[in-house]
Amino acid sequence: MTNREIILGRVREALKVAAPHPVLRDSLAAAPAATPQKWLPPVGQTMEAQIELFRQNAEALKVEFRVCANVTEAIQHVKKLAAAGGWKKIGRQRGELTDPVARELSLLEVPTDRGYAVDDLESCDAALTECEALVAQTGSVLVSAPSAGGRALSVLPPHHVVLARRNQMVPDLTTALLRVQEKFKDRWPSFLSFISGPSRTGDIERILVLGAHGPKKLTILLLP
Amino acid sequence: MNVYAKEFNESARRYTADLRHRELIQKALAGYYAKRDEFKNRFQSWPGARDLAAEIKWEAINHLDRYLDEFVSKLEARGTKVFWAPGAQEARDYIVGVARQHQVRAIIKSKSMTAEEIHLNDALEKAGFEVVESDLGEYIVQLREEPPYHLVFPAMHLTRQQISDLFHDKLGSEPTNNPEDLTMAARRVLRRKYCKADMGISGANFAIAETGMISITENEGNARLTTSLPKIHVALVGIEKVLPRLSDLALFLPMLATAGAGQSITCYNTLYGGPRQPGEPDGPEEFHVVLLDNRRTEILADAEQRDALHCIRCGACLNVCPIFKNIGGHSYGTTYQGPIGSVITPHLRGLQDWKHLSQASSLCGACTETCPVKINLHHHLLHNRRNAVRAQPARLEKLIQSAFVLMMRRPKLYQFAARMGRLAQPLQPLVRGTILDPLRAWTKTRSFPPLAQKSFRELWRERKAS
């Protein structure tokens, strides 16, 4: 007998006796498992309301969030961040939003899309990536291996800058998951992550410290 | 009394008298309560969310065979190696085997209570591998060579001063009482470890059957680095972690954050669906998922307590437990502390050895009330008491109970006993708290209320006579 058969055998044996069903309110029938939105924090219907909610949530998570009127404005802002942070080298993902910004920055670059040396990326001052979605309900950014230049780019450098489009704003986690499910179907990337603010810890006397192991700063720029 | 119960009693007595410990825990938890309530209140209905979460977990656990099968076949389809481990030994042997086969030099590990449960670090170290914990709290307790104090906050029993001394000692860092400086000192050391490690070990918070992915929840980014840079990733996953659908995470991620840490959502909630896929720039070449039973199927077989497998290890029941707050996490002597630990440890390690944990409860029900997946925790403590007595009756207690019943059924005997009690009570202070005192368990720390000089019957009789 294989280990698999041993464990599944034990499970099937155990499940022969039925367990009492949890006592549930009638309201559950009105909100089946696929639609937990009914219970979760509320989200406005309009795009403006969602952007506003995202701003509030992101700021509470210590994210710098900015709505940019056009690419030029985004470039200007990233240039300002680069000057303030004294950036010399950035890691980046190649994409239609990141390309023009990186071009104007004209810093040393470590493009990660086709592989990179870990030490090279580790010594970068910032990371520039795109994303899959922004979640108004939580202030989170959903990234995937293809949209964020792999797994490490969005967590290794000390400042992560995300460029997103307006149509990537979604109301809640359910919609964000549905969106990637529709996009990737059965061809999933090996990595997807909801990023909600810069890396943090409260392990010493429950006092919040930013930049535990990942980025100390997270900037999200919303483009039209 | 067995050795575990004895150690438990001694430790509990020590911690309960430790006022510094109490103050530290109360201060840490006060912030948690405020934040937890703030974010609970943002839900349109927290009770509704709990119902749904309980329902989803019930569905998953009561069809566990089907969902495990689906989870594994989806994982394997994308090149993940899945190992089914019936017990702790098999899981340890497999993981040590993977490390040996790849001639691994350094292992980095992100927080996993399941790895604590099977004493994975010991096994790897005995086999000659260096294992470094990367979660800050876990790293601190690893340097102190002690087990985690709390499921979610492993170092919550330590002051910044203690941590500063520890880092000064072990890492040579400058003494400081600034938590940020301490965090940065650990960050510098651990950065080098991530870049050097060739194997990363993690746990998992959820296993998604529908898509064949594991979900890892964290705040620090240590799990993300652990699973990004090394060329091998091993995830140790208890079989009860299964959720049927990807969309279930939309409910469980915010609930875990709110109940577990008083956050709206944790910083990183990451899904891993395989090793590096074609066209991806990084990620491990090999991804191993070790599915652990280790007597979880015994809890499954107990239909009455099966819902204990709904647990998402948020630690909320510890944070509200009056016993935990006084005796502290280390007194339990178990991997899982607090009410959930007291419920499941007798199943995982033997009922008779660990039945004393069921008595470590005021049965106030705060744990059951706070549990985000509605585990009937305090009733399960009662179930464990009943099961322990059924399997091994307490003879003395039984004798005392039947003597009591005998007395209560015979009014004459009761009156006689009450009279004797009244006569004997003035003598009791002479022997108070000593071996001769029949009430010493009570009178060691408290006084016994004086018995009335006249019984109700006597008063009634006198009144009628006058």
Side-chain angles (χ1 to χ4, degrees), chain A residues 2-28 31-43 56-57 60-61 112-116 118-119 121-123 137-140 142-146 148-158 160 172-175 177-178 180-181 185-216, chain B residues 24 27-28 42-49 51-52 54-56 58 61-65 68-69 74 78 83-87 90 134-138 140 152-156 158-161 163 179-180 182-184 186-187 190-191 194-195 210-211 213 219-222 224-225 227-229 233 239 245-251 253-254 261 263-277 279-284 291 293-295 297 300-301 303-304 306 374:
Chain A
T2 64
N3 283 350
R4 177 178 172 279
E5 286 160 355
I6 292 172
I7 295 178
L8 286 179
R10 289 179 190 167
V11 169
R12 288 183 184 127
E13 187 60 35
L15 290 178
K16 277 182 185 163
V17 184
H21 202 271
V23 184
L24 296 175
R25 292 182 180 77
D26 302 338
S27 54
L28 198 62
T35 57
Q37 287 110 317
K38 188 174 171 183
W39 315 120
L40 293 170
V43 183
Q56 285 170 20
N57 284 327
L61 294 168
T112 59
D113 305 71
R114 281 191 212 100
Y116 57 88
V118 172
D119 290 333
L121 182 60
E122 210 274 327
S123 57
Q137 189 180 46
T138 56
S140 313
L142 175 59
V143 299
S144 64
R151 296 187 183 198
L153 177 60
S154 55
V155 74
L156 207 52
H160 179 199
D172 48 35
L173 292 167
T174 307
T175 316
L177 289 166
L178 208 63
V180 284
Q181 219 156 1
K185 303 244 162 41
D186 264 340
R187 304 182 51 81
W188 286 104
S190 72
F191 160 87
L192 290 149
S193 188
F194 287 99
I195 300 175
S196 312
S199 154
R200 62 196 58 212
T201 186
D203 272 348
I204 300 174
E205 293 190 18
R206 308 289 310 126
I207 293 163
L208 177 71
V209 176
L210 297 183
H213 293 283
K216 296 170 192 183
Chain B
L24 193 65
K27 202 171 134 213
R42 291 211 191 154
F43 277 64
Q44 291 171 74
S45 167
W46 177 261
D51 276 347
L52 186 54
E55 166 70 16
I56 292 171
W58 187 90
I61 294 298
N62 284 280
H63 303 88
L64 193 56
D65 49 341
L68 279 176
D69 240 358
K74 287 276 161 72
R78 270 193 306 276
F83 178 74
W84 299 71
E90 289 93 336
S134 60
D135 172 86
L136 179 60
E138 289 284 343
I140 291 167
V152 178
F153 317 128
M156 92 185 283
L158 300 171
T159 62
R160 58 185 91 178
Q161 192 57 51
I163 296 166
E180 186 166 356
L182 291 168
T183 305
M184 292 310 135
R187 178 185 166 113
L190 289 166
R191 270 283 157 134
Y194 292 119
C195 296
E210 179 187 24
T211 55
M213 293 172 182
N219 275 313
E220 297 181 0
N222 63 307
R224 285 199 48 199
L225 288 166
T227 53
S228 295
L229 302 177
H233 172 199
I239 54 171
R245 291 158 299 263
L246 187 66
S247 63
D248 295 334
L249 289 177
L251 180 71
L253 298 180
Q263 290 179 284
S264 59
I265 185 122
T266 34
C267 195
Y268 299 105
N269 285 288
T270 309
L271 288 155
Y272 299 96
R276 177 196 303 193
Q277 298 294 294
E280 290 179 357
D282 56 5
L291 271 178
D293 175 359
N294 204 27
R295 303 180 78 165
T297 41
L300 194 70
E304 189 177 47
R306 189 174 294 161
K374 300 186 80 173

Side-chain angles (χ1 to χ4, degrees), chain B residues 389-404:
Chain B
V389 171
R390 230 181 236 167
Q392 204 180 89
R395 295 220 170 68
L396 182 65
E397 209 169 301
K398 228 176 172 175
L399 192 74
I400 294 171
Q401 287 291 342
S402 28
F404 182 72

Side-chain angles (χ1 to χ4, degrees), chain A residues 7 10 14, chain B residues 85-88 90 117-118 239-240 292-302 309 344-354:
Chain A
I7 295 178
R10 289 179 190 167
Chain B
E90 289 93 336
E117 176 188 327
I118 65 166
I239 54 171
E240 84 286 10
L292 182 74
D293 175 359
N294 204 27
R295 303 180 78 165
R296 281 163 176 72
T297 41
E298 301 213 357
I299 306 177
L300 194 70
D302 184 345
L309 291 175
I344 63 175
T345 304
H347 293 271
L348 301 177
R349 295 197 191 168
L351 179 58
Q352 293 306 329
D353 279 347
W354 297 93

Side-chain angles (χ1 to χ4, degrees), chain B residues 120-132 142:
Chain B
L120 182 60
N121 288 6
D122 285 350
L124 286 164
E125 279 160 13
K126 261 186 208 127
F129 300 103
E130 183 205 44
V131 192
V132 177
Q142 186 186 33

